[in-house]
Amino acid sequence: MDTSPPDPQLSALYQELILDHYRRPRNKGTLDHATHSVSLNNPLCGDEIDLQLRVDGDVIREARFIGGGCSISQAAASMMTQLLKDRSIPQALALADRMSAMMHGDEAAARDKALGELRALAGVAKFPVRIKCALLPWNALTDALKA
Ligand code: ZN
């Protein structure tokens, strides 16, 4: 089976994007008026995420996180918090489903523009032990919204 990326340049670009989010995480910190907060960790890799949301009615106004761990988990959290701003709760849960599908190899999900920069993580689907890293912030999100 050929596991090389279809386009090495695209892959390099995605690597850069992941490292950029890892080094300069967006929305890192705590919220003053959080309505939801969840802490999750991924013991397999040592990743930790504390996710906080400020939900107003049905809409996520702000999302922030603090955490530590590998570049994939932290980049995924940074990208996710960007994408969640001003999404309704059903939209956010639909994105979580889409993200999970992409991480389990769904190629249509990997091309879905709705996932924005998170599509950079599609290649991680080839590394089963890292899938949990990419999904950790999303699992925190669904825990927070369904609690
Ligand atoms: Zn990890």
Side-chain angles (χ1 to χ4, degrees):
M1 190 178 137
D2 180 11
T3 55
S4 61
D7 181 339
Q9 269 188 321
L10 189 67
S11 177
L13 207 69
Y14 279 175
Q15 292 284 348
E16 273 302 304
L17 191 60
I18 291 165
L19 284 175
D20 183 60
H21 276 269
Y22 177 57
R23 292 185 185 127
R24 297 188 303 118
R26 281 46 151 197
N27 303 305
K28 194 155 189 181
T30 55
L31 283 175
D32 284 339
H33 302 285
T35 55
H36 297 65
S37 88
V38 163
S39 299
L40 268 191
N41 61 43
N42 171 21
L44 283 176
C45 181
D47 306 318
E48 298 173 343
I49 296 284
D50 292 316
L51 179 68
Q52 292 192 320
L53 306 174
R54 186 166 61 80
V55 177
D56 177 12
D58 192 29
V59 178
I60 298 171
R61 295 296 179 195
E62 275 186 277
R64 286 198 194 169
F65 76 103
I66 48 178
C70 72
S71 59
I72 292 170
S73 65
Q74 303 305 303
S78 173
M79 292 170 176
M80 181 187 82
T81 53
Q82 278 192 317
L83 200 61
L84 290 178
K85 191 171 166 53
D86 295 327
R87 303 281 175 165
S88 71
I89 289 173
Q91 283 173 335
L93 292 173
L95 285 169
D97 281 348
R98 207 69 178 138
M99 180 70 187
S100 175
M102 181 178 83
M103 296 318 301
H104 291 95
D106 183 329
E107 289 183 10
R111 286 191 299 269
D112 190 342
K113 288 190 168 58
L115 287 174
E117 293 183 338
L118 284 152
R119 286 173 297 165
L121 295 165
V124 174
K126 295 191 194 99
F127 306 98
V129 295
R130 311 310 296 279
I131 293 172
K132 276 189 174 13
C133 303
L135 290 178
L136 183 67
W138 291 91
N139 290 337
L141 175 73
T142 51
D143 282 5
L145 294 178
K146 287 175 175 172

